[in-house]
Amino acid sequence: MHERLDELAGVRRLVTDGADAAATERQHARGKLTVRERLELLLDKGSFTEVEGMRRHRATGFGLEAKRPYGDGVVTGWGTVDGRQVFVYGHDFRVFGGALGEAHAQKIHKIMDMAEAAGAPLVALSDGAGARIQEGVTALAGYGGIFTRNVRMSGVVPQISVILGPCAGGAAYSPALTDFVFMVRGTAQMYITGPDVVQAVTGEKVSHDELGGADVHSARSGVSTFLHDDEESCLADVRHLLSLLPANNRELPPQEPTDDPADRANDVLVNLVPADPHQAYDMRRVIEEIVDDGDWFELHERWAPNLLVGLARLGGQTVGIVANQPMAGAGALDIAASEKGARFVQFCDSFNIPLVTLVDVPGFLPGTDQEHDGIIRRGAKLLYAYCDASVPRVQVILRKAYGGAYIVMDSRSIGCDLSYAWPTNEIAVMGAEGAAGVVFRKEIAASDNPEHTRARLVAAYKDQLMHPYYAAERGLVDDVIDPRDTRQALIRGLRMLRAKHARLPERKHGNQPV
């Protein structure tokens, strides 16, 4: 028995440390942590339980039969984050460059199946060179199994991808299928075809970072949800995100105690938001004033900045916040903002997270680029997501709410449960100046003093159709509230709606505009 135990200890050392000590040094030299160092940062101390650490590949040819390291380049298992169960797999770049082969894929398939069966979040730490070329089609089939499970688990348990190194070719599609993507600047890259292929096919010379680096995917493509400068802060934010989410779609998000009073007055808002609809302000400051302890977790901060989305707590309850940002493009909706908002609304609806929508929108962004790139089809994604959402939904109209953009931003007509408005609200088909120009065009043109006539008719239009109580008088706004009471009104409404249960039509699934 003692001999067997000594043998076991030796195997375990090979499983955890690897056979090549220099590989760890090379990983550190690249500015990257090893997979086990990452797990120590992500999970509660001492909570990790490994699965199939002794798994080895069975492939032959191209020298593979002579190199059969334990683990086969991926570490899989489960642990806890703040005491709550989480499943995880992480590529070990020190072994085959983290490339995926048959055994490697089967380990990932198993841990994904376990996460689904246990009803707990799945975190993938990606740092791999793609499919293991020496194993051919079996490696590609392994990716197919991962993608199938990503889709099957979508809306069942939260799925988080953390890109900490290369993620190329077919491997990039798994993160794209998950709920959140974290990337670390300088070491993470994602692309379908690498720089060499791009240059060979198009003649364009581009670096790895220029093609698919963290900055590109955070600001331009929208693939990355979060951007970080180092692995430590990245994994700390993964932990924070998990603390805001339920374990699965059958649970409500965790309720946290707070010392921030539910009836705290938002006095700052009176002077923060100008009454003049043409003056900009930072919607982030509005959100920070309303939510518990001023703490909110913004998603896609650098992509589509005209629409803000993020998670926060109100009265200790996790909520999803969608808000127009007047500081960027006057807060108008465009293609990118619509897709950003739609994805977030769908996620919140999947995992029982109530939605709070803060509205100050002048409309959809006009222009040939938007129209030709499909603003009708792609803008409809946000509309579809709200109409399909059955979680508690509360709307607050701060100032402008014009045209189709008003409808899309979770108006009463598409199913929001409660709609509040500030006394500065302007809900209309379009701004008064534009409306008067259309409705009274002939009268203005025939006037001896067109400018004076226009001003008089604009004022008349505002008085009749755009005064702050017009929508409330018609039941399209539940109440016009003092901005200082916004937090209190939201928390009361959300508490009332916490047990909301919506009856959904029987169908396989809808056919949303994709």
Coordinates of all heavy atoms in Angstrom, one line a residue, residues 237-310:
D237 N -13.4 40.5 -11.2 CA -14.7 40.9 -11.7 C -15.6 39.7 -12.2 O -16.8 39.8 -12.1 CB -14.5 41.8 -12.9 CG -14.5 43.3 -12.5 OD1 -14.6 43.6 -11.3 OD2 -14.3 44.2 -13.4
V238 N -15.0 38.6 -12.6 CA -15.8 37.4 -12.8 C -16.5 37.0 -11.5 O -17.7 36.6 -11.5 CB -14.9 36.3 -13.4 CG1 -15.7 35.0 -13.5 CG2 -14.3 36.6 -14.7
R239 N -15.8 37.0 -10.4 CA -16.4 36.7 -9.1 C -17.5 37.7 -8.8 O -18.6 37.3 -8.3 CB -15.3 36.7 -8.0 CG -14.3 35.6 -8.0 CD -13.2 35.8 -6.9 NE -13.8 35.8 -5.6 CZ -14.0 34.8 -4.8 NH1 -13.7 33.6 -5.2 NH2 -14.6 34.9 -3.6
H240 N -17.3 38.9 -9.1 CA -18.3 39.9 -8.8 C -19.6 39.7 -9.6 O -20.7 39.8 -9.1 CB -17.8 41.3 -9.0 CG -18.8 42.4 -8.7 ND1 -19.5 42.5 -7.5 CD2 -19.2 43.5 -9.5 CE1 -20.3 43.6 -7.6 NE2 -20.1 44.2 -8.7
L241 N -19.3 39.4 -10.9 CA -20.5 39.1 -11.8 C -21.3 37.9 -11.3 O -22.5 38.0 -11.2 CB -20.0 38.9 -13.2 CG -21.0 38.4 -14.2 CD1 -22.1 39.5 -14.4 CD2 -20.4 38.1 -15.5
L242 N -20.6 36.9 -10.9 CA -21.3 35.7 -10.4 C -22.1 36.0 -9.1 O -23.2 35.4 -8.9 CB -20.3 34.6 -10.1 CG -19.7 33.9 -11.3 CD1 -18.4 33.1 -10.9 CD2 -20.7 33.0 -12.0
S243 N -21.6 37.0 -8.3 CA -22.4 37.3 -7.1 C -23.7 38.0 -7.4 O -24.6 38.0 -6.5 CB -21.5 38.2 -6.2 OG -21.5 39.5 -6.7
L244 N -23.9 38.5 -8.6 CA -25.1 39.2 -9.0 C -26.1 38.2 -9.7 O -27.3 38.6 -9.9 CB -24.8 40.3 -9.9 CG -24.0 41.5 -9.3 CD1 -23.4 42.4 -10.4 CD2 -24.9 42.4 -8.4
L245 N -25.7 37.1 -10.0 CA -26.5 36.2 -10.9 C -27.1 35.0 -10.1 O -26.4 34.5 -9.2 CB -25.6 35.6 -12.0 CG -24.9 36.7 -12.9 CD1 -24.1 36.0 -14.0 CD2 -25.9 37.6 -13.6
P246 N -28.2 34.5 -10.5 CA -28.7 33.3 -10.0 C -27.9 32.1 -10.5 O -27.2 32.2 -11.5 CB -30.2 33.2 -10.5 CG -30.1 33.9 -11.8 CD -29.1 35.1 -11.6
A247 N -28.0 31.0 -9.8 CA -27.3 29.8 -10.3 C -27.8 29.2 -11.6 O -27.1 28.7 -12.4 CB -27.3 28.7 -9.2
N248 N -29.1 29.4 -11.8 CA -29.8 28.8 -13.0 C -31.1 29.5 -13.2 O -31.5 30.5 -12.5 CB -30.0 27.3 -12.8 CG -30.8 27.0 -11.5 OD1 -31.9 27.3 -11.4 ND2 -30.1 26.3 -10.6
N249 N -31.8 29.1 -14.3 CA -33.0 29.8 -14.7 C -34.2 29.5 -13.8 O -35.3 30.0 -14.0 CB -33.3 29.5 -16.1 CG -33.6 28.0 -16.4 OD1 -33.3 27.2 -15.6 ND2 -34.3 27.7 -17.5
R250 N -34.1 28.6 -12.8 CA -35.2 28.2 -11.9 C -35.1 29.0 -10.6 O -36.0 28.9 -9.8 CB -35.2 26.7 -11.6 CG -35.3 25.9 -12.9 CD -35.4 24.4 -12.5 NE -34.2 23.9 -11.8 CZ -33.0 23.5 -12.3 NH1 -32.9 23.6 -13.7 NH2 -32.0 23.1 -11.6
E251 N -34.1 29.8 -10.4 CA -33.9 30.6 -9.2 C -34.0 32.1 -9.5 O -33.7 32.5 -10.6 CB -32.5 30.3 -8.6 CG -32.3 28.8 -8.2 CD -31.0 28.6 -7.5 OE1 -30.2 29.6 -7.3 OE2 -30.6 27.4 -7.2
L252 N -34.3 32.8 -8.4 CA -34.2 34.2 -8.5 C -32.8 34.7 -8.1 O -32.1 33.9 -7.5 CB -35.2 34.9 -7.4 CG -36.7 34.7 -7.7 CD1 -37.5 35.3 -6.6 CD2 -37.1 35.3 -9.1
P253 N -32.4 35.8 -8.6 CA -31.0 36.3 -8.2 C -30.9 36.4 -6.7 O -31.9 36.6 -6.0 CB -30.9 37.7 -8.9 CG -32.0 37.7 -9.9 CD -33.1 36.8 -9.4
P254 N -29.7 36.3 -6.2 CA -29.5 36.3 -4.8 C -29.8 37.7 -4.2 O -29.5 38.7 -4.8 CB -27.9 36.1 -4.6 CG -27.4 36.4 -5.9 CD -28.4 36.0 -6.9
Q255 N -30.5 37.7 -3.1 CA -30.9 39.0 -2.4 C -29.8 39.3 -1.4 O -29.5 38.4 -0.5 CB -32.3 38.8 -1.7 CG -32.8 40.0 -1.0 CD -33.6 40.9 -2.0 OE1 -34.0 40.5 -3.1 NE2 -34.0 42.1 -1.5
E256 N -29.3 40.5 -1.4 CA -28.2 40.9 -0.5 C -28.7 42.0 0.5 O -29.4 42.9 0.0 CB -27.0 41.4 -1.2 CG -26.3 40.3 -2.1 CD -25.6 39.3 -1.2 OE1 -25.2 39.6 0.0 OE2 -25.5 38.1 -1.6
P257 N -28.4 41.9 1.7 CA -28.8 43.0 2.7 C -28.1 44.2 2.3 O -26.9 44.2 1.8 CB -28.4 42.4 4.0 CG -27.3 41.4 3.8 CD -27.7 40.8 2.4
T258 N -28.7 45.4 2.5 CA -28.0 46.7 2.3 C -28.4 47.7 3.3 O -29.5 47.6 3.9 CB -28.5 47.2 0.9 OG1 -27.9 48.5 0.7 CG2 -30.0 47.3 0.8
D259 N -27.4 48.5 3.6 CA -27.7 49.6 4.6 C -28.1 50.9 3.9 O -28.4 51.9 4.6 CB -26.4 49.9 5.3 CG -25.9 48.7 6.2 OD1 -26.8 48.0 6.7 OD2 -24.7 48.5 6.4
D260 N -28.3 50.8 2.6 CA -28.7 52.0 1.8 C -30.3 52.1 1.9 O -30.9 51.2 1.4 CB -28.3 51.9 0.4 CG -28.4 53.2 -0.4 OD1 -29.0 54.1 0.1 OD2 -27.9 53.3 -1.5
P261 N -30.8 53.1 2.6 CA -32.3 53.1 2.8 C -33.1 53.1 1.5 O -32.7 53.8 0.5 CB -32.5 54.4 3.5 CG -31.2 54.8 4.1 CD -30.1 54.3 3.1
A262 N -34.2 52.3 1.5 CA -35.0 52.3 0.3 C -35.7 53.6 0.0 O -36.0 53.9 -1.1 CB -36.1 51.2 0.5
D263 N -35.9 54.4 1.1 CA -36.6 55.7 0.9 C -35.6 56.9 0.8 O -36.0 58.0 1.0 CB -37.6 56.0 2.0 CG -36.9 55.9 3.4 OD1 -35.7 55.6 3.5 OD2 -37.6 56.2 4.4
R264 N -34.3 56.6 0.5 CA -33.3 57.6 0.4 C -33.7 58.6 -0.8 O -33.9 58.2 -1.9 CB -31.9 57.1 0.1 CG -30.9 58.1 -0.2 CD -29.5 57.5 -0.3 NE -29.3 56.4 -1.2 CZ -29.1 56.5 -2.5 NH1 -29.1 57.7 -3.1 NH2 -29.0 55.4 -3.3
A265 N -33.8 59.9 -0.5 CA -34.1 60.9 -1.5 C -33.0 61.1 -2.4 O -31.8 61.2 -2.0 CB -34.5 62.2 -0.8
N266 N -33.3 61.2 -3.7 CA -32.3 61.5 -4.7 C -32.2 63.0 -5.1 O -32.5 63.4 -6.2 CB -32.6 60.7 -6.0 CG -32.7 59.2 -5.8 OD1 -33.7 58.6 -6.1 ND2 -31.7 58.6 -5.2
D267 N -31.9 63.8 -4.1 CA -31.8 65.2 -4.2 C -30.9 65.7 -5.4 O -31.2 66.7 -6.1 CB -31.4 65.9 -2.9 CG -32.4 65.7 -1.8 OD1 -33.6 65.6 -2.1 OD2 -31.9 65.5 -0.6
V268 N -29.9 64.9 -5.6 CA -28.9 65.3 -6.6 C -29.5 65.4 -8.0 O -29.1 66.2 -8.8 CB -27.7 64.3 -6.6 CG1 -26.8 64.5 -7.8 CG2 -27.0 64.4 -5.3
L269 N -30.5 64.6 -8.2 CA -31.1 64.5 -9.6 C -31.8 65.7 -10.0 O -31.9 66.0 -11.2 CB -32.1 63.3 -9.7 CG -31.5 61.9 -9.4 CD1 -32.6 60.8 -9.5 CD2 -30.3 61.6 -10.3
V270 N -32.2 66.5 -9.1 CA -33.0 67.8 -9.5 C -32.1 68.7 -10.3 O -32.5 69.4 -11.2 CB -33.5 68.5 -8.2 CG1 -34.1 69.8 -8.6 CG2 -34.5 67.6 -7.5
N271 N -30.8 68.8 -9.9 CA -29.9 69.7 -10.6 C -29.0 69.0 -11.6 O -28.4 69.6 -12.4 CB -29.0 70.4 -9.6 CG -29.8 71.3 -8.6 OD1 -30.6 72.1 -9.1 ND2 -29.5 71.2 -7.3
L272 N -28.9 67.6 -11.5 CA -28.1 66.9 -12.4 C -28.6 66.8 -13.8 O -27.9 66.9 -14.8 CB -27.9 65.4 -11.8 CG -27.1 64.5 -12.7 CD1 -25.7 65.0 -12.9 CD2 -27.1 63.1 -12.1
V273 N -29.9 66.6 -13.9 CA -30.5 66.5 -15.2 C -31.2 67.8 -15.6 O -32.1 68.3 -15.0 CB -31.6 65.4 -15.2 CG1 -32.2 65.3 -16.6 CG2 -31.0 64.1 -14.8
P274 N -30.6 68.5 -16.7 CA -31.2 69.8 -17.1 C -32.6 69.6 -17.6 O -32.9 68.6 -18.3 CB -30.2 70.2 -18.2 CG -29.0 69.4 -18.1 CD -29.5 68.1 -17.5
A275 N -33.4 70.6 -17.4 CA -34.8 70.6 -17.9 C -34.8 70.8 -19.4 O -35.7 70.3 -20.1 CB -35.6 71.7 -17.3
D276 N -33.8 71.5 -19.9 CA -33.7 71.7 -21.4 C -33.3 70.4 -22.1 O -32.2 69.9 -21.8 CB -32.6 72.8 -21.6 CG -32.5 73.1 -23.1 OD1 -33.0 72.4 -24.0 OD2 -31.7 74.1 -23.4
P277 N -34.1 69.9 -23.0 CA -33.9 68.6 -23.6 C -32.7 68.6 -24.5 O -32.2 67.5 -24.9 CB -35.2 68.3 -24.3 CG -35.8 69.7 -24.6 CD -35.4 70.5 -23.4
H278 N -32.2 69.8 -24.8 CA -31.0 69.8 -25.7 C -29.7 69.8 -25.0 O -28.6 69.7 -25.6 CB -31.1 71.1 -26.6 CG -32.3 71.2 -27.4 ND1 -32.6 70.3 -28.5 CD2 -33.4 72.0 -27.4 CE1 -33.7 70.6 -29.0 NE2 -34.3 71.6 -28.4
Q279 N -29.7 69.9 -23.7 CA -28.5 69.9 -22.9 C -28.2 68.4 -22.5 O -29.0 67.7 -22.0 CB -28.6 70.8 -21.6 CG -28.6 72.2 -21.9 CD -28.6 73.1 -20.6 OE1 -28.0 72.6 -19.6 NE2 -29.2 74.2 -20.7
A280 N -26.9 68.1 -22.6 CA -26.5 66.7 -22.3 C -26.1 66.6 -20.8 O -25.9 67.6 -20.1 CB -25.3 66.3 -23.1
Y281 N -26.1 65.4 -20.3 CA -25.7 65.1 -19.0 C -25.2 63.6 -19.0 O -25.5 62.8 -19.9 CB -26.8 65.3 -18.0 CG -28.0 64.4 -18.2 CD1 -28.2 63.2 -17.6 CD2 -29.0 64.8 -19.1 CE1 -29.3 62.4 -17.9 CE2 -30.1 64.0 -19.4 CZ -30.2 62.8 -18.8 OH -31.3 62.0 -19.0
D282 N -24.6 63.2 -17.9 CA -24.1 61.8 -17.9 C -25.1 60.9 -17.2 O -25.3 61.0 -16.0 CB -22.7 61.8 -17.2 CG -22.0 60.4 -17.3 OD1 -22.7 59.4 -17.8 OD2 -20.9 60.3 -16.9
M283 N -25.7 60.0 -17.9 CA -26.7 59.1 -17.4 C -26.1 58.1 -16.3 O -26.8 57.7 -15.4 CB -27.4 58.3 -18.5 CG -28.5 57.3 -18.0 SD -29.9 58.2 -17.4 CE -30.8 58.6 -18.9
R284 N -24.8 57.9 -16.4 CA -24.1 57.1 -15.4 C -24.3 57.6 -14.0 O -24.5 56.9 -13.0 CB -22.6 56.9 -15.7 CG -22.3 56.0 -16.9 CD -20.9 55.7 -17.0 NE -20.6 54.9 -18.2 CZ -20.3 55.3 -19.4 NH1 -20.3 56.6 -19.6 NH2 -20.0 54.5 -20.4
R285 N -24.2 59.0 -13.9 CA -24.4 59.6 -12.6 C -25.8 59.4 -12.1 O -26.0 59.3 -10.9 CB -24.0 61.1 -12.7 CG -22.5 61.3 -13.0 CD -22.2 62.8 -13.0 NE -22.5 63.4 -11.6 CZ -22.5 64.7 -11.4 NH1 -22.3 65.5 -12.4 NH2 -22.8 65.1 -10.2
V286 N -26.8 59.4 -13.0 CA -28.2 59.2 -12.6 C -28.3 57.8 -12.0 O -28.9 57.5 -10.9 CB -29.1 59.4 -13.8 CG1 -30.6 59.0 -13.4 CG2 -29.1 60.8 -14.3
I287 N -27.7 56.8 -12.7 CA -27.8 55.4 -12.3 C -27.1 55.2 -10.9 O -27.7 54.6 -10.0 CB -27.2 54.5 -13.3 CG1 -28.0 54.5 -14.6 CG2 -27.1 53.0 -12.8 CD1 -27.3 53.9 -15.8
E288 N -25.9 55.8 -10.8 CA -25.2 55.7 -9.5 C -25.9 56.3 -8.4 O -25.8 55.9 -7.2 CB -23.8 56.3 -9.7 CG -22.9 55.5 -10.6 CD -21.7 56.3 -11.1 OE1 -21.5 57.5 -10.6 OE2 -20.9 55.8 -11.8
E289 N -26.7 57.3 -8.6 CA -27.5 58.0 -7.6 C -28.6 57.1 -7.1 O -29.0 57.1 -6.0 CB -28.0 59.4 -8.1 CG -29.0 60.1 -7.2 CD -28.4 60.4 -5.8 OE1 -27.1 60.5 -5.6 OE2 -29.2 60.6 -4.8
I290 N -29.2 56.4 -8.0 CA -30.4 55.6 -7.7 C -30.1 54.3 -7.1 O -30.8 53.9 -6.1 CB -31.2 55.4 -9.0 CG1 -31.8 56.7 -9.6 CG2 -32.4 54.4 -8.8 CD1 -32.4 56.6 -11.0
V291 N -29.1 53.6 -7.5 CA -28.9 52.2 -7.1 C -28.3 52.1 -5.7 O -27.8 53.1 -5.2 CB -28.0 51.4 -8.1 CG1 -28.7 51.4 -9.5 CG2 -26.6 52.0 -8.2
D292 N -28.3 50.9 -5.1 CA -27.7 50.7 -3.8 C -26.2 51.1 -3.8 O -25.4 50.6 -4.6 CB -27.8 49.2 -3.4 CG -29.3 48.8 -3.2 OD1 -30.2 49.7 -3.2 OD2 -29.5 47.6 -2.9
D293 N -25.9 51.9 -2.9 CA -24.5 52.3 -2.6 C -23.8 52.9 -3.8 O -22.5 52.8 -3.9 CB -23.7 51.1 -2.0 CG -24.4 50.5 -0.8 OD1 -24.7 51.3 0.1 OD2 -24.6 49.3 -0.7
G294 N -24.5 53.3 -4.8 CA -23.9 53.9 -6.0 C -23.1 52.9 -6.8 O -22.3 53.3 -7.7
D295 N -23.4 51.6 -6.6 CA -22.5 50.6 -7.3 C -23.3 49.9 -8.4 O -24.3 49.3 -8.2 CB -22.1 49.5 -6.2 CG -21.2 48.4 -6.8 OD1 -20.6 48.7 -7.8 OD2 -21.2 47.3 -6.2
W296 N -22.8 50.0 -9.6 CA -23.4 49.3 -10.7 C -22.3 48.7 -11.6 O -21.2 49.3 -11.7 CB -24.4 50.1 -11.5 CG -23.9 51.0 -12.6 CD1 -23.0 52.0 -12.5 CD2 -24.3 50.9 -13.9 NE1 -22.8 52.5 -13.7 CE2 -23.6 51.9 -14.6 CE3 -25.1 50.1 -14.7 CZ2 -23.7 52.1 -16.0 CZ3 -25.3 50.3 -16.0 CH2 -24.6 51.3 -16.7
F297 N -22.6 47.6 -12.2 CA -21.6 46.8 -13.0 C -21.9 47.0 -14.5 O -22.8 46.3 -15.0 CB -21.6 45.4 -12.5 CG -20.4 44.5 -12.9 CD1 -19.2 45.0 -12.8 CD2 -20.6 43.2 -13.4 CE1 -18.1 44.3 -13.2 CE2 -19.5 42.5 -13.8 CZ -18.3 43.0 -13.7
E298 N -21.2 47.8 -15.2 CA -21.6 48.1 -16.5 C -21.0 47.1 -17.5 O -19.9 46.7 -17.4 CB -21.1 49.5 -16.9 CG -21.5 50.0 -18.3 CD -21.1 51.4 -18.6 OE1 -20.6 52.1 -17.8 OE2 -21.4 51.8 -19.8
L299 N -21.8 46.7 -18.5 CA -21.4 45.8 -19.5 C -21.2 46.6 -20.8 O -21.8 47.6 -21.1 CB -22.5 44.8 -19.8 CG -22.7 43.6 -18.9 CD1 -23.1 44.1 -17.5 CD2 -23.8 42.7 -19.4
H300 N -20.2 46.1 -21.6 CA -20.0 46.7 -22.9 C -19.8 48.3 -22.8 O -20.4 49.1 -23.5 CB -21.1 46.5 -23.9 CG -21.2 45.0 -24.3 ND1 -20.3 44.4 -25.1 CD2 -22.2 44.1 -24.1 CE1 -20.7 43.2 -25.3 NE2 -21.8 43.0 -24.7
E301 N -18.9 48.7 -21.9 CA -18.7 50.1 -21.6 C -18.2 50.9 -22.8 O -18.6 52.0 -23.0 CB -17.8 50.2 -20.4 CG -17.5 51.7 -20.0 CD -16.6 51.8 -18.8 OE1 -16.3 50.7 -18.2 OE2 -16.2 52.9 -18.4
R302 N -17.4 50.2 -23.7 CA -16.8 51.0 -24.8 C -17.5 50.8 -26.1 O -17.2 51.5 -27.1 CB -15.3 50.6 -24.9 CG -14.5 50.8 -23.6 CD -13.1 50.3 -23.8 NE -12.4 51.2 -24.7 CZ -11.4 50.7 -25.5 NH1 -11.0 49.4 -25.4 NH2 -10.7 51.5 -26.3
W303 N -18.4 49.8 -26.2 CA -19.1 49.6 -27.4 C -20.6 50.1 -27.3 O -21.2 50.0 -26.3 CB -19.2 48.0 -27.6 CG -19.9 47.6 -28.9 CD1 -19.7 48.0 -30.1 CD2 -21.1 46.7 -29.0 NE1 -20.6 47.4 -31.0 CE2 -21.4 46.6 -30.3 CE3 -21.8 46.0 -28.0 CZ2 -22.5 45.8 -30.8 CZ3 -22.8 45.2 -28.5 CH2 -23.2 45.1 -29.8
A304 N -21.0 50.8 -28.4 CA -22.3 51.4 -28.5 C -22.6 52.3 -27.2 O -23.5 52.0 -26.5 CB -23.4 50.4 -28.6
P305 N -21.7 53.3 -27.0 CA -21.8 54.1 -25.8 C -23.1 54.9 -25.6 O -23.4 55.4 -24.6 CB -20.6 55.0 -25.8 CG -20.3 55.1 -27.3 CD -20.7 53.8 -27.9
N306 N -23.9 55.0 -26.7 CA -25.2 55.8 -26.6 C -26.3 55.0 -25.9 O -27.3 55.6 -25.6 CB -25.7 56.1 -28.0 CG -25.5 55.0 -29.0 OD1 -24.6 54.2 -29.0 ND2 -26.5 54.9 -29.9
L307 N -26.0 53.8 -25.5 CA -26.9 53.0 -24.7 C -26.1 52.3 -23.6 O -25.2 51.6 -23.9 CB -27.7 51.9 -25.5 CG -28.8 51.3 -24.8 CD1 -30.0 52.2 -24.6 CD2 -29.2 49.9 -25.4
L308 N -26.5 52.5 -22.4 CA -25.9 51.9 -21.2 C -26.7 50.7 -20.8 O -27.9 50.7 -20.7 CB -25.8 52.9 -20.1 CG -25.1 54.3 -20.3 CD1 -25.2 55.1 -19.1 CD2 -23.7 54.1 -20.8
V309 N -25.9 49.6 -20.5 CA -26.6 48.4 -19.9 C -25.7 47.9 -18.8 O -24.4 48.1 -18.8 CB -26.8 47.3 -20.9 CG1 -27.7 47.8 -22.0 CG2 -25.5 46.8 -21.5
G310 N -26.3 47.4 -17.7 CA -25.5 46.9 -16.6 C -26.3 46.3 -15.5 O -27.6 46.4 -15.6

